[in-house]
């Protein structure tokens, strides 16, 4: 483990909810919950104001509504979140070539590799500047942890929340870890935590006192050795800049179980096409097609088929997924479907054939126009106005949907830089009201390209 706290861990504060609050002046300082709003929806992120009521990520949305009935409940805007995330990750890459993203709102940075920090003072300055830059570019806050290892940097950022910076000085690690609960350590989930508690081990200090042999006996060789090392603050894992993508997949959960076998087949084909679009956007192909089916009784089945060579052909993926579906009994109903592709490669079987024939891959006939599915039919009116999404009215300008139903849609007209706006209600088919792109969370700086502003220039929604 290094001798200076030059590994940084950034965790954006309540990221999705904070983006929504920054975008909507009337929600600042209010309880905001982002997630699926259907009967089976779950919370993706809750603002700190909502967490006071016990609302947290992965909680069923129905339970969240009971705990915080007056919170604002919004449908995620993933394209906007990704756009803001790209700006934050750009700030991190300016600090070092070694940036290891864990998700849209979390990453490790090796400051030493970028020459940004080499001791405690320079690391603290780099962390403080990063927090200021994030606020200036996005209007959001992030918590920063600095330490001599990844494990400790992540623990430090958790202690810094919200909107703080914690640096763990080398030599103080054992004293800091000792009183913390064992669940603080990576790899200690609910089951391992319960197992350790039953034998009287509650804290990291007690874990270290138990000894390596006892932990191996209790947890097995690999897990026991790893946890003992972490209890002694030993963590030699490097910051890894790129992680190899192992699979590409998409899935949908349905508010009402699907019983119609024809509808199930249609949904699988639609998911296969979405999966292929993601493959092509990433410049990948794959050999193994995977189908996931969660039935009415919550039982989950997966089926897979491995092809002779990698493909990104929508027709091939659709046909393989349909064959896999034939082997699954959907009697009783289906609540979730997913299609994925694994065994990834950066070429397709068609490319190899072209190379063998001396034909450039770009000269091959394209099937894009034939294989991309036709636009889906119009959805019901209420579904066209998801809560929290952006709209524009010919008279009143930019706003966002507060709610819709019974043939009406309620809109609050405000922008990220305005005062809290007024609320108006319209018919869902009002021709003056149209969906709109999100506005930048902060004004663009002079000379900044259109679409490069934090949260601006969102071109497409993905997932």
């Amino acid at each position: 483990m290094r001798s200076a706290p030059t590994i940084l861990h950034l965790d954006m504060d309540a990221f999705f909810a904070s983006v929504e609050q920054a975008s909507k002046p009337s929600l600042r300082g209010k309880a905001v919950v982002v997630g699926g709003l259907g009967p089976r929806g779950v919370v993706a992120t809750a603002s700190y104001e909502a967490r006071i009521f016990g609302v947290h990520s992965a909680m069923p949305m129905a339970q969240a509504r009971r705990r915080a009935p007056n919170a604002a409940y919004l449908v995620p805007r993933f394209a906007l979140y990704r756009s803001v995330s790209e700006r934050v990750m750009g700030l991190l890459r300016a600090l070092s070539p070694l940036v290891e993203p864990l998700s849209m709102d979390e990453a490790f940075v090796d400051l030493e590799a970028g020459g940004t920090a080499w001791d405690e003072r320079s690391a603290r300055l780099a962390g403080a500047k990063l927090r200021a830059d994030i606020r200036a570019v996005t209007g959001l806050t992030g918590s920063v942890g600095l330490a001599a290892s990844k494990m400790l940097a992540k623990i430090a950022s958790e202690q810094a929340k919200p909107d703080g910076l914690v640096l763990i000085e080398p030599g103080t690690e054992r004293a800091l870890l000792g009183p913390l609960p064992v669940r603080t350590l990576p790899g200690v989930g609910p089951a391992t935590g319960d197992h350790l508690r039953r034998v009287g081990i509650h804290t990291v200090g007690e874990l270290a006192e138990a000894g390596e042999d006892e932990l191996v006996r209790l947890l097995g060789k690999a897990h026991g050795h790893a946890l003992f090392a972490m209890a002694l603050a030993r963590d030699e894992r490097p910051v890894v800049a790129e992680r190899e993508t192992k699979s590409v997949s998409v899935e949908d959960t349905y508010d009402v179980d699907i019983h119609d076998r024809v509808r199930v087949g249609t949904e699988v084909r639609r998911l296969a096409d979405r999966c292929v679009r993601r493959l092509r956007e990433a410049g990948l192909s794959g050999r193994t097609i995977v189908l996931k089916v969660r039935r009415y009784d919550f039982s989950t089945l997966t089926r897979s088929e491995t092809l002779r060579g990698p493909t990104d052909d929508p027709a091939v993926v659709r046909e393989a997924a349909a064959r896999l579906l034939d082997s699954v009994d959907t009697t009783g109903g289906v609540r979730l479907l997913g299609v994925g592709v694994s065994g990834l490669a950066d070429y397709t079987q068609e490319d190899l054939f072209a190379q063998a024939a001396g034909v450039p891959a770009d000269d091959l006939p394209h099937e894009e126009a034939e294989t991309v599915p036709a636009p889906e039919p119009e959805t019901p009116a209420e579904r066209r106005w998801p809560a929290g999404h952006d709209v524009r009215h010919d008279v009143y300008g930019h706003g966002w949907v507060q709610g819709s139903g019974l043939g009406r849609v309620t809109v609050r007209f405000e922008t990220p830089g305005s005062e809290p706006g007024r609320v108006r209600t319209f018919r869902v088919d009002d021709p003056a009201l149209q969906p709109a792109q999100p506005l930048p969370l902060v004004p663009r700086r002079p000379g900044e390209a259109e679409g490069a502003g934090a949260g601006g220039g969102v071109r497409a929604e993905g997932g």
Side-chain angles (χ1 to χ4, degrees):
M1 197 164 70
R2 59 187 68 186
S3 59
T6 54
I7 292 182
L8 180 149
H9 181 260
L10 170 72
D11 197 351
M12 298 296 290
D13 299 322
F15 183 53
F16 295 174
S18 293
V19 170
E20 298 297 345
Q21 289 175 318
S23 177
K24 302 171 171 63
S26 59
L27 297 184
R28 292 168 192 170
K30 306 287 182 62
V32 174
V33 181
V34 179
L37 303 189
R40 290 175 180 154
V42 297
V43 175
T45 307
S47 69
Y48 285 97
E49 296 85 355
R51 296 180 192 187
I52 294 172
F53 299 98
V55 179
H56 57 77
S57 300
M59 172 182 284
M61 192 61 77
Q63 184 179 352
R65 288 184 183 276
R66 289 193 296 270
R67 294 192 178 189
N70 296 319
Y73 289 87
L74 307 177
V75 175
R77 297 187 291 168
F78 287 115
L80 174 59
Y81 307 151
R82 282 197 301 273
S83 176
V84 177
S85 172
E86 287 169 5
R87 300 303 308 280
V88 174
M89 295 300 166
L91 293 174
L92 298 183
R93 293 186 181 98
L95 294 175
S96 172
L98 292 184
V99 176
E100 182 177 341
L102 304 179
S103 63
M104 275 196 284
D105 61 340
E106 185 180 3
F108 287 109
V109 184
D110 187 334
L111 299 176
E112 189 175 325
T116 310
W118 50 90
D119 59 10
E120 180 183 334
R121 181 178 177 276
S122 57
R124 191 181 294 276
L125 288 174
K129 183 179 185 302
L130 172 64
R131 292 179 60 237
D133 288 345
I134 289 172
R135 188 184 289 273
V137 169
T138 69
L140 305 178
T141 63
S143 296
V144 168
L146 291 156
S149 71
K150 290 168 70 173
M151 176 187 74
L152 291 166
K154 185 171 175 62
I155 291 172
S157 70
E158 190 63 34
Q159 293 184 343
K161 281 188 167 295
D163 189 21
L165 182 151
V166 168
L167 182 147
I168 299 176
E169 298 178 9
T172 67
E173 297 93 348
R174 291 285 300 276
L176 179 140
L177 285 175
L180 297 179
V182 292
R183 288 289 305 277
T184 305
L185 298 180
V188 182
T192 301
D194 289 344
H195 186 48
L196 292 170
R197 191 183 67 251
R198 286 194 294 270
V199 297
I201 298 175
H202 300 86
T203 68
V204 177
E206 291 169 345
L207 197 66
E209 291 171 5
E212 188 168 16
D213 292 342
E214 178 64 7
L215 293 180
V216 168
R217 186 186 69 81
L218 290 170
L219 304 171
K221 188 173 182 180
H223 205 184
H225 285 314
L227 283 189
F228 183 70
M230 286 189 287
L232 298 180
R234 298 173 186 161
D235 179 18
E236 302 294 342
R237 294 174 300 159
V239 176
V240 180
E242 297 293 339
R243 289 186 168 195
E244 183 181 355
T245 302
K246 297 184 182 302
S247 65
V248 173
S249 63
V250 296
E251 63 181 44
D252 278 342
T253 301
Y254 304 98
D255 293 341
V256 179
D257 290 343
I258 302 177
H259 292 84
D260 182 6
R261 183 76 177 187
V262 174
R263 166 87 189 282
V264 173
T266 300
E267 291 295 314
V268 167
R269 288 192 295 275
R270 183 178 62 82
L271 289 166
D273 288 331
R274 278 174 52 196
C275 184
V276 168
R277 284 199 292 274
R278 288 194 178 183
L279 269 179
R280 290 184 168 183
E281 287 169 3
L284 297 170
S285 61
R287 297 185 62 206
T288 301
I289 316 302
V290 181
L291 175 72
K292 178 180 177 181
V293 179
R294 181 166 298 150
R295 298 187 292 190
Y296 69 98
D297 59 357
F298 285 89
S299 62
T300 303
L301 304 175
T302 57
R303 300 287 186 268
S304 64
E305 175 181 319
T306 299
L307 308 174
R308 287 186 296 176
T311 186
D312 65 352
D313 187 330
V316 172
V317 176
R318 280 198 302 266
E319 290 168 7
R323 288 193 296 271
L324 295 170
L325 180 62
D326 288 340
S327 66
V328 177
D329 180 9
T330 60
T331 305
V334 169
R335 60 187 296 120
L336 176 147
L337 289 168
V339 173
V341 177
S342 60
L344 300 182
D346 56 2
Y347 61 89
T348 65
Q349 192 65 46
E350 290 78 6
D351 292 335
L352 296 179
F353 290 146
Q355 292 165 16
V359 181
D362 289 344
D363 292 341
L364 289 173
H366 291 290
E367 299 180 31
E368 187 90 19
E370 299 176 1
T371 57
V372 172
E376 296 182 11
E378 283 287 322
T379 52
E382 288 79 9
R383 288 185 178 273
R384 289 191 292 117
W385 306 111
H389 282 224
D390 297 83
V391 295
R392 185 167 188 85
H393 192 275
D394 291 347
V395 175
Y396 302 109
H398 194 94
W400 58 276
V401 176
Q402 281 201 323
S404 64
L406 301 177
R408 294 286 186 268
V409 54
T410 300
V411 177
R412 185 180 289 273
F413 289 97
E414 60 187 7
T415 65
S418 74
E419 295 296 318
R422 298 187 61 181
V423 175
R424 298 183 183 274
T425 299
F426 308 91
R427 299 191 322 272
V428 294
D429 58 354
D430 188 326
L433 189 69
Q434 298 294 329
Q437 294 287 354
L439 297 176
L441 300 185
V442 297
R444 292 189 180 92
R445 293 172 292 185
E448 190 169 36
E450 179 75 19
V458 176
R459 293 182 291 276
E461 220 279 350

